[in-house]
């Protein structure tokens, strides 16, 4: 939440310290998804499981993680701290704020644990 408050960029994204993103993450964001308010990137786990499904139009708990970024225009949106599922709750707040979002077909977020 402190990082969100200090951020002055157009987009805000999240990355766990043990995960990686594709080298073309930012380029693809601006070339293909800049018209959206938030983007859910598909993610791959070490065991090969890829979520969420590419043609989903909803977000399902435990089927999406912090593999998302959003336009820095939702000034009062913050994570509920000290609880499980805070990333999903944050996504639900975004979804309740806009209909202009997408789940990418690209798998651009890699979970290493």
């Amino acid at each position: 939440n402190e990082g969100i408050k200090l951020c002055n960029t157009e987009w805000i994204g999240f990355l766990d310290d043990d995960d990686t993103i594709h080298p073309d993450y930012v380029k693809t964001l601006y070339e293909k998804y800049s018209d959206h308010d938030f983007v859910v990137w598909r993610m791959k786990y070490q065991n090969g499981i890829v979520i969420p499904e590419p043609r989903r139009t909803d977000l399902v708990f435990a089927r999406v993680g912090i593999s998302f970024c959003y336009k820095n225009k939702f000034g009062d949106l913050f994570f509920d701290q000290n609880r499980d599922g805070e990333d999903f709750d944050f996504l639900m707040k975004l979804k309740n704020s806009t209909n202009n979002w997408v789940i990418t077909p690209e798998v651009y977020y890699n979970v290493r644990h």
Side-chain angles (χ1 to χ4, degrees), residues 21-82:
I21 56 174
H22 190 280
D24 290 335
Y25 180 102
V26 173
K27 177 183 175 189
T28 303
L29 172 66
Y30 278 95
E31 288 180 355
K32 292 181 73 174
Y33 303 111
S34 63
D35 290 340
H36 293 85
D37 290 332
F38 75 93
V39 177
V40 177
W41 298 92
R42 297 185 68 220
M43 54 198 299
K44 179 180 180 186
Y45 288 91
Q46 225 174 20
N47 62 3
I49 296 173
V50 176
I51 60 171
E53 291 78 15
R55 290 189 269 285
R56 292 200 74 108
T57 57
D58 60 346
L59 299 170
V60 178
F61 186 77
R63 299 298 294 162
V64 63
I66 66 162
S67 59
F68 66 93
C69 58
Y70 67 98
K71 284 192 176 169
N72 189 5
K73 66 179 198 174
F74 302 97
D76 58 349
L77 250 54
F78 297 102
F79 287 92
D80 295 328
Q81 296 180 342
N82 302 318

